[in-house]
Amino acid sequence: MAKIPPGVGPRYPQCVVLFGATGDLARRKLLPGLYHLSSAGFIPKCRIIGVSLDEIDADGFRQAARGALDEFFNRKVTDADWDAFAQSLDYVPLAAGAPALRAAVLEAEKSFGGESRRLHYLSVPPSAALSAVRLLGEAQLVERSRIVMEKPFGTDLASAVSLNARLHEVFDEDQIFRIDHFLGKEPAQNILAFRFANGLFEPIWNRNFIDHVQIDVPETLALGKRSGFYEQTGAYRDMVVTHLFQILAFMAMEPPTALEPAPISEEKNKVFRSMLPIQPADVVRGQYVGYRDEDGVDSESETETFIALKCYIDNWRWAGVPFFLRTGKRLAEGQRIISIAFREPPKSMFPPGSGVGAQGPDHLTFDLADASKMSLSFYGKRPGPGMRLDKLSLQFAMHDTGLLGEVLEAYERLILDAMRGDHTLFNTAEGIERLWQVSSHLLEEPPPVRLYPPGSWGPKSIHQLIAPHAWRLPFERAWRNPDGTGS
């Protein structure tokens, strides 16, 4: 595996305390990600101490980690890299308490032979987060440390304020990293590059030229083992506050004074401060048929597995422009797109039947999948006599660069940023609390849940929500593959 040039990763060796070390997220993302960062040379030295309820020893944790790599790591695992990684693993059962955890961390740090830093990753349910924080405080592991918190961060304004206050009793705000893996994806960051590095689009990135915006993240998967957790959360808390609103902020923010964490966070928070409260009349809640039959779900559950909404950013750039957001489970396709619809010309000079306007406005579309794509649609003349117009598109795909293999997985990038102390792609206490504040009316008076069949695009009332516009998904035109053919 190619080694990474010095200066890209953290300056000091890292001792990672991984709570929830035997859980699903650790197996799928965190352990494979830490293995890649370590073996590729992003981290100078690293020791990982797993913590969970399971009564296993270090060898048992190593076996679990190897199983996770065999199942979920998409690169080759070499014997030499695995042996080095396995030696960096240790394990402390939660029942062993603060003294055992402190002893394991101090022993790991002794092996570095110099100055080091600590990263505490809380891959645990929200209900267990504060007990993990208290344990770290009791173990006196707060100094030289950073802590990564998983979503959802609270369930409403009161719980978010309380959680922040109790967190701040142990950790300072600059030590806390509230993770959103959507912002760790290469395409999400490419939005910043696209907007602020090019003179072509920024001048028209406003209410005078943009008609409306769609952020659409449908999923085909059911909930499976997450049903019990989801029953207490729902699609709005699980996806909109923690993911879709964060993407909206990247898309809508003003240019930061510098490409640094504090200025970027401030511009994101300005977007959140400018958001109008979400109105229940502008929201469609849905639940797929069969959800109530799943384990851990109330037979009369009103939890939404689907949500679509309309929101507004009340500032000079975006006043009057509707932002439509949609996400849900068991839908027709799995996609992650931002689609920006430009205003149509005020008057058409083209003859009736020419086709102009027949296929809607011009769109700029970002595909937020790991292998990101971008498309700009426009009308162009069909070759031949007369004036017939067709909808055409310019497309770019990450495949075109030949650099797809260098893309870091979202959790890998965010772990690396947390180790470096870079808050750019993380959520702040102020931002999270403001989003719960604009959500208060919706959470207090949610509209009724409407059933939808699995494999559909959600309840039919979503079309009334977006009228007179139309949802961009499903696409009428296929993305082109790198060989030039349709997808």
Side-chain angles (χ1 to χ4, degrees):
M1 190 174 291
K3 299 299 177 184
I4 305 301
V8 175
R11 181 178 173 187
Y12 298 105
Q14 301 286 318
C15 181
V16 179
V17 179
L18 178 57
F19 286 85
T22 58
D24 188 62
L25 178 61
R27 291 177 60 250
R28 289 177 175 273
K29 298 293 185 180
L30 304 181
L31 288 168
L34 286 165
Y35 169 81
H36 181 221
L37 293 176
S38 298
S39 59
F42 283 100
I43 311 171
K45 293 179 182 177
C46 185
R47 297 294 297 271
I48 300 161
I49 300 167
V51 181
S52 81
L53 292 169
D54 291 343
E55 290 288 340
I56 58 176
D57 59 12
D59 285 337
F61 182 43
R62 292 184 185 108
Q63 290 176 9
R66 183 60 200 239
L69 293 182
D70 290 341
E71 187 172 358
F72 297 110
F73 191 60
N74 57 11
R75 295 178 172 90
K76 180 178 174 58
V77 178
T78 68
D79 290 341
D81 285 339
W82 164 249
D83 289 343
F85 185 70
Q87 290 176 23
S88 75
L89 300 178
D90 197 1
Y91 185 84
V92 177
L94 198 60
L101 180 58
R102 177 171 174 78
V105 170
L106 294 180
E107 183 67 25
E109 291 178 335
K110 196 183 300 181
S111 71
F112 295 143
E115 191 173 352
S116 63
R117 297 289 183 268
R118 300 160 180 165
L119 183 74
H120 308 308
Y121 198 116
L122 272 55
S123 177
V124 296
S127 58
L130 283 176
S131 62
V133 169
R134 285 194 296 270
L135 179 63
L136 290 168
E138 292 169 11
Q140 300 176 18
L141 296 175
V142 176
E143 186 182 1
R144 294 183 286 107
S145 74
R146 299 176 177 118
I147 183 168
V148 178
M149 307 286 294
E150 272 289 339
K151 70 169 180 84
F153 199 86
T155 57
D156 55 21
L157 178 58
S159 62
V161 170
S162 174
L163 180 54
N164 278 325
R166 296 177 73 178
L167 260 178
H168 291 152
E169 292 173 0
V170 182
F171 291 92
D172 294 334
E173 177 63 21
D174 63 1
Q175 292 178 285
I176 302 168
F177 292 76
R178 300 167 186 82
I179 197 166
D180 170 20
H181 72 268
F182 268 47
L183 293 189
K185 292 180 177 295
E186 197 79 36
Q189 297 163 70
N190 202 32
I191 295 170
L192 296 181
F194 185 87
R195 285 191 58 190
F196 301 131
N198 300 298
L200 180 60
F201 284 99
E202 182 58 25
I204 61 171
W205 208 264
N206 58 59
R207 63 188 300 274
N208 296 321
F209 298 95
I210 292 177
D211 184 75
H212 68 277
V213 177
Q214 296 180 34
I215 301 176
D216 212 348
V217 186
E219 298 180 284
T220 58
L221 297 175
L223 289 160
K225 297 178 181 178
R226 295 184 69 228
S227 299
F229 158 77
Y230 205 82
E231 179 68 359
Q232 309 302 317
T233 307
Y236 185 80
R237 290 178 171 93
D238 184 52
M239 288 291 292
V240 177
V241 174
T242 50
H243 292 326
L244 273 64
F245 281 158
Q246 306 301 325
I247 293 293
L248 181 151
F250 264 26
M251 187 267 157
M253 64 190 275
E254 295 296 320
T257 56
L259 201 65
E260 296 173 357
I264 290 176
S265 292
E266 174 57 19
E267 295 306 333
K268 284 177 58 187
N269 287 340
K270 284 182 184 177
V271 172
F272 299 147
R273 290 197 291 269
S274 300
M275 286 179 65
L276 295 177
I278 308 298
Q279 300 301 316
D282 291 334
V283 177
V284 174
R285 296 170 68 237
Q287 185 186 95
Y288 65 77
V289 176
Y291 170 74
R292 295 174 184 175
D293 299 328
E294 297 189 12
D295 291 341
V297 175
D298 190 315
S299 60
E300 298 181 359
S301 173
E302 290 293 306
T303 298
E304 80 278 358
T305 62
F306 169 97
I307 192 141
L309 62 93
K310 175 170 58 176
C311 64
Y312 292 92
I313 301 169
D314 194 26
N315 60 20
W316 277 40
R317 184 182 289 263
W318 297 113
V321 176
F323 288 75
F324 298 98
L325 281 57
R326 176 172 65 170
T327 187
K329 308 293 184 183
R330 296 296 303 274
L331 296 177
E333 293 179 23
Q335 294 274 3
R336 294 170 179 173
I337 70 154
I338 301 175
S339 190
I340 297 153
F342 293 99
R343 293 191 183 278
E344 298 191 64
K347 183 173 176 58
S348 174
M349 68 183 75
F350 297 93
S354 65
V356 69
Q359 297 183 57
D362 300 335
H363 283 86
L364 175 65
T365 302
F366 295 90
D367 185 330
L368 300 182
D370 289 330
S372 62
K373 291 176 283 194
M374 194 184 305
S375 173
L376 177 64
S377 68
F378 56 92
Y379 283 101
K381 182 184 178 300
R382 182 185 299 179
M387 182 60 73
R388 285 287 300 167
L389 277 68
D390 289 325
K391 204 72 164 179
L392 309 173
S393 66
L394 297 172
Q395 294 188 7
F396 161 82
M398 186 65 71
H399 291 280
D400 299 335
T401 66
L403 300 175
L404 188 61
E406 298 186 19
V407 174
L408 281 180
E409 202 275 333
Y411 279 99
E412 296 174 356
R413 178 182 302 279
L414 293 170
I415 288 170
L416 202 61
D417 283 355
M419 288 177 172
R420 294 166 52 230
D422 187 337
H423 279 86
T424 303
L425 302 177
F426 294 85
N427 304 323
T428 65
E430 177 191 340
I432 287 290
E433 290 178 12
R434 172 58 184 166
L435 290 174
W436 286 123
Q437 186 179 18
V438 301
S439 304
S440 295
H441 193 188
L442 170 63
L443 298 177
E444 290 166 4
E445 299 180 22
V449 164
R450 303 174 186 273
L451 297 179
Y452 64 93
S456 69
W457 285 100
K460 292 181 179 174
S461 50
I462 61 170
H463 302 297
Q464 294 156 340
L465 173 71
I466 203 170
H469 314 297
W471 292 100
R472 284 277 283 158
L473 288 176
F475 285 129
E476 294 177 3
R477 289 176 304 280
W479 289 97
R480 287 192 291 273
N481 283 329
D483 62 3
T485 63
S487 60

